[in-house]
Amino acid sequence: MEPILKGRGLVKRYGKVTALDHCDFDLMPGEILAVIGDNGAGKSSLIKAVSGAVIPDEGEVFLEGKKIHFTSPIQAREAGIETVYQTLAMSPALSIADNMFMGRELRKPGFMGKWMRQLDRPEMERRARDKLTELGLMTIQNINQAVETLSGGQRQGVAVARAAAFGSKVIILDEPTAALGVKESRKVLELIQDVKSRGIPIILISHNMPHVFEVADRIHVHRLGKRLCVINPKDYTMSDAVAFMTGAKEAPTQTEAA
Amino acid sequence: MSSAENTNDGVAKFEVPDRGALGTIQHWLHVNPALVPLIVLLMSVLVFGLLLGSKFFSPFALTLILQQTAIVGIVGAAQSLVILTAGIDLSVGAIMVLSSVVMGQFTFRYGIPVEIAIVCGLLCGTFVGFLNGWLIAVMKLPPFIVTLGMWQIALATNFLYSANETIRSQVISTEAPLLQVFGEKFTIGADEAGRGGANFTIGVIFMVMLVVVLAYVLKQTAWGRHVYAVGDDPEAAELSGVNVKGTLISVYMLSGLICAFAGWALIGRIGSVSPTSGQLANIESITAVVIGGISLFGGRGSILGMLFGALIVGVFTLGLRLLGADAQWTYLLIGALIIGAVAVDQWIRKVSV
C-alpha cells in the first residue's frame, strides 16, 4: 500500500543542532500513527516539516505519491493536511463558529456577499453545529458562545472538530491530551477514534504511553533526529517502547509491516 | 476498528457548568460588552435630567452634546479599531491636525481645487497610518512606541509645514466652503425665533454613520473577525490562516484615514484651520474607548460601546457645566469612570475558565 504522506531523507538544522537527520516517515491511509520520542528527539521538527510549519533543508515530502513543497502551514491546509496545535490556535474571545471558520470564512451569495462582504453566518453556524453533532459534541448548546467559556476538553473537541471539518487527507494532533484531566482525555481519545472511523488518517504526537497504546495502529519511535523503528503496539509493551525511545534497549531491526 | 461502535450519540459529552445569578450577569456582559456603557449613559442622562430639568432634558442641549462629541467620536472610532488589535494609537490627534492643515494649506497656499486638496489630506492621514502599521506589523516595534514617536513627528511636521499659521474661518467660508461642510447645521423643531430645537451637524451624522458602518464591518465581514482574532491572540490567528501583518497594516491605515476625516470635521467644528487645535484628541479618544468597555488588551469590546463612552463624557461635561460645577469635577468623575470601566473589563474576562 502506498503511504498517503511520506517523508524521505528529511534534514533540518538549527545552527549547529541537527533536529532531523535524514529522517524517513510514512503514514498509511486510514491509520492512527503515533509518534513518540524523548524530549528533543525531533518529533516536533518532523511534524512541522511535513505540515509546512518549517521548511526542511534536505529531503522530500510526498502526499499521495506526489512530491510537495510547503512553505507555510496555510499551504498544507489547502492541500488537506490539518494540524491541531498543542496551543489549539483559537481566539478565546470569539465564538465557536467564528473559530472554526477563521481564515476561511464563508460569504453570503449575491450582492450582500460580493459587494458588502457579508459573512454567511447562518451557514457557518449550521455547518459548525453539524460537525460538532457528528462528533457527539453537541452538549455545547450555543455555537455562538465564546471559546474561552468552554472547558479544556471542550476546546480540544472544537479544535479537533475544526480539523475534521476541513482536513480531507491528514489530521495531525500535537499532544491533544497533555493539558487535560482523566475524564476529558477519555473524551478526546473517543473523538480521535471517531475521526479515524471516518477514514481520515491521523498522526498523534504524545508523551502519554497508555493513550498511545490505546489508539495507535502503529508507533513511530523517534530518536536522535531519525526514525528508530516502527512498532506494532500489539507486539510490544509500553516499557519496551520507552526503552527503545531512550536507547536502553536495542530496537528491532526488521522493518515493520503496516 | 473497535471504535466504530462508539460513534453513537453518547460519544464525548461535556457537561455545561452551572452559573449563579452573578455569573449570569457576568456572562451577559461578556456577550454584550456595550451594555455597561449604555446603562451608565442612560443613567447619567436620567440623573442630570432630574437635577437640571428641561435645561438639560431638551432637544437643544442633548443634540449639543452630540455636536461636542462628534470629533472625539470619529477619532474614537479609529482608536477603537487599533485597540481591538491590542495596539494603541497615540498619534490620532496629530494625524487629524496634520491632515486638516494639508487640506487647508493645499487649497490656500497652492491654489489647488478644494476637492483635490481634501483628497490629499485624506491620503496624508492614510499614509501616516500606513507608516505606523508597517513599523508595527513588519518591523515588530511596539505600537505604544511607534505611535508615541509618530505623534511627535506628525505634530512637528504640522507646525513646520503650516509655519504655525491659522487659516481664518471667514476666508474659508468665502473661498472654500467645502472645508467646513461638516459644520453645516440643520434644525428640527425650533421655535419662531429660531431658538432651541434639535440641531444636527453633518459631523454628527458622519460620526453616527461611521460607527454603524464599522460595527457592521467588524461583526459581519471576515476582515472584522480577523481584527478581533489578531487582537485576541496573533499567533493563534496566524496558525488559523489569518494574514496578521496585512490585517494590522490595514487597521492602522484605516485609522489614519478616519483621523483625516476627523481633521476635515474639525475644520467644520472650529471654522478655521488651526495647527494648534485638537491637542487632546488622543487622550480623549482613549478615554472614550476605555469607558466604552473595549479592552486595552485587545480582541474584546464593541465600537458601539466607544460611542456610548464618548457620549458619557459629553453628558458629564455639559451636565456639570450647566450645574455650575467646577470643570475639575468633570475630570475627577471621568477619571473614576475610566478606572471603573477597566475593573469591569477585568471582571468580565474572568468568565473564561
Side-chain angles (χ1 to χ4, degrees):
Chain A
M1 197 159 40
E2 177 69 12
I4 183 157
L5 188 64
K6 183 167 79 171
R8 283 294 172 267
L10 295 170
V11 177
K12 181 70 196 173
R13 297 185 193 89
Y14 297 99
K16 281 181 181 160
V17 180
T18 305
L20 285 179
D21 181 12
H22 298 92
C23 173
D24 293 342
F25 174 83
D26 293 286
L27 176 72
M28 293 298 168
E31 73 169 349
I32 296 180
L33 176 75
V35 177
I36 62 170
D38 213 351
N39 287 330
K43 301 188 297 286
S44 303
S45 298
L46 170 64
I47 293 316
K48 284 177 179 166
V50 296
S51 69
V54 302
I55 303 164
D57 300 326
E58 286 171 38
E60 296 169 317
V61 180
F62 301 86
L63 180 66
E64 293 178 319
K66 281 195 289 287
K67 196 177 164 187
I68 47 173
H69 189 74
F70 298 136
T71 51
S72 78
I74 315 293
Q75 285 177 8
R77 235 176 55 167
E78 279 160 8
I81 301 176
E82 282 284 323
T83 309
V84 177
Y85 297 92
Q86 200 171 351
T87 54
L88 299 185
M90 289 204 275
S91 302
L94 296 183
S95 75
I96 297 168
D98 278 340
N99 267 293
M100 282 185 70
F101 285 89
M102 184 57 63
R104 46 193 155 200
E105 292 83 357
L106 305 173
R107 279 212 305 272
K108 280 215 168 119
F111 176 80
M112 284 312 283
K114 192 152 192 272
W115 298 104
M116 306 300 286
R117 318 290 289 175
Q118 193 182 19
L119 295 174
D120 196 346
R121 275 180 190 280
E123 177 64 14
M124 294 200 297
E125 283 161 18
R126 191 186 62 75
R127 286 204 204 171
R129 201 176 292 116
D130 283 356
K131 201 68 207 176
L132 292 177
T133 312
E134 204 181 304
L135 293 172
L137 279 163
M138 259 336 273
T139 43
I140 298 168
Q141 287 138 337
N142 185 356
I143 206 80
N144 288 316
Q145 81 187 80
V147 163
E148 66 192 348
T149 62
L150 302 175
S151 70
Q154 287 175 319
R155 287 185 211 193
Q156 192 78 49
V158 173
V160 173
R162 171 167 73 176
F166 295 101
S168 50
K169 295 195 179 130
V170 177
I171 292 177
I172 301 172
L173 299 168
D174 189 3
E175 297 280 3
T177 55
L180 302 181
V182 177
K183 259 173 96 181
E184 293 203 316
S185 293
R186 178 96 347 256
K187 285 161 189 162
V188 169
L189 290 177
E190 286 172 9
L191 256 177
I192 293 172
Q193 298 275 22
D194 211 44
V195 171
K196 183 201 158 177
S197 70
R198 277 149 229 273
I200 304 169
I202 295 169
I203 302 170
L204 172 71
I205 303 147
S206 184
H207 267 105
N208 190 312
M209 286 304 146
H211 292 170
V212 165
F213 272 74
E214 183 182 337
V215 297
D217 297 310
R218 294 190 310 143
I219 300 172
H220 169 132
V221 183
H222 210 71
R223 183 169 154 74
L224 303 174
K226 46 180 118 176
R227 178 168 68 180
L228 181 73
C229 56
V230 177
I231 58 173
N232 187 323
K234 292 187 193 76
D235 302 341
Y236 293 91
T237 65
M238 290 184 210
S239 39
D240 288 336
V242 173
F244 298 146
M245 209 168 99
T246 54
K249 201 167 163 182
E250 199 68 29
T253 44
Q254 87 281 12
T255 26
E256 190 72 37
Chain B
M1 280 307 220
S2 65
S3 61
E5 299 106 58
N6 285 343
T7 52
N8 58 12
D9 292 350
V11 175
K13 291 242 189 248
F14 296 98
E15 298 82 25
V16 185
D18 192 29
R19 291 190 283 262
L22 201 64
T24 311
I25 297 172
Q26 194 180 15
H27 180 75
W28 242 75
L29 296 178
H30 187 258
V31 179
N32 304 295
L35 217 58
V36 181
L38 180 63
I39 293 168
V40 173
L41 176 63
L42 293 177
M43 276 178 36
S44 56
V45 169
L46 198 72
V47 168
F48 282 115
L50 289 173
L51 287 172
L52 290 157
S54 63
K55 204 159 50 151
F56 178 84
F57 218 65
S58 66
F60 179 78
L62 291 178
T63 51
L64 184 62
I65 293 171
L66 278 174
Q67 289 168 48
Q68 289 171 339
T69 312
I71 302 290
V72 176
I74 297 169
V75 178
Q79 190 71 261
S80 301
L81 290 174
V82 170
I83 288 183
L84 279 175
T85 66
I88 194 149
D89 195 342
L90 298 173
S91 61
V92 281
I95 297 177
M96 171 177 81
V97 178
L98 179 63
S99 306
S100 77
V101 162
V102 165
M103 290 176 194
Q105 294 292 344
F106 273 35
T107 311
F108 290 98
R109 195 188 293 180
Y110 309 129
I112 295 172
V114 62
E115 295 82 5
I116 296 174
I118 287 170
V119 171
C120 292
L122 297 177
L123 287 176
C124 167
T126 313
F127 177 70
V128 179
F130 168 76
L131 287 180
N132 278 335
W134 185 79
L135 288 167
I136 289 160
V138 181
M139 301 304 286
K140 309 264 180 223
L141 301 177
F144 186 92
I145 302 301
V146 169
T147 58
L148 181 68
M150 199 55 75
W151 174 15
Q152 309 295 338
I153 292 168
L155 207 59
T157 309
N158 153 56
F159 284 126
L160 290 171
Y161 175 65
S162 67
N164 212 353
E165 265 172 32
T166 301
I167 302 169
R168 281 181 301 125
S169 176
Q170 245 177 344
V171 185
I172 297 174
S173 59
T174 50
E175 287 175 39
L178 188 63
L179 284 175
Q180 293 175 336
V181 71
F182 278 88
E184 216 130 290
K185 219 177 259 190
F186 54 93
T187 306
I188 301 163
D191 58 18
E192 292 82 29
R195 280 169 306 173
N199 288 308
F200 294 96
T201 60
I202 303 286
V204 167
I205 293 165
F206 178 78
M207 168 185 74
V208 174
M209 298 276 285
L210 178 69
V211 169
V212 169
V213 167
L214 285 176
Y216 168 85
V217 168
L218 286 171
K219 194 86 193 153
Q220 295 290 338
T221 71
W223 183 83
R225 296 285 87 190
H226 293 175
V227 169
Y228 277 88
V230 167
D232 216 351
D233 186 341
E235 275 137 54
E238 180 86 59
L239 289 172
S240 315
V242 174
N243 178 355
V244 173
K245 274 184 196 156
T247 307
L248 277 177
I249 293 177
S250 63
V251 162
Y252 282 91
M253 283 174 76
L254 183 57
S255 164
L257 177 65
I258 294 171
C259 290
F261 270 106
W264 189 3
L266 185 70
I267 304 174
R269 173 95 190 121
I270 61 178
S272 55
V273 173
S274 161
T276 53
S277 58
Q279 299 288 338
L280 289 172
N282 51 1
I283 296 302
E284 285 170 350
S285 67
I286 294 170
T287 303
V289 167
V290 171
I291 295 179
I294 297 178
S295 171
L296 282 175
F297 305 102
R300 265 158 240 265
S302 86
I303 197 152
L304 275 177
M306 178 287 301
L307 182 59
F308 299 145
L311 288 171
I312 290 169
V313 175
V315 167
F316 272 72
T317 311
L318 187 74
L320 289 167
R321 200 163 70 209
L322 290 175
L323 277 173
D326 192 315
Q328 296 307 325
W329 282 106
T330 313
Y331 297 119
L332 191 144
L333 283 171
I334 299 298
L337 272 179
I338 291 174
I339 295 173
V342 174
V344 170
D345 174 47
Q346 290 291 352
W347 180 61
I348 294 173
R349 278 173 166 266
K350 286 203 197 108
V351 84
S352 39
V353 266

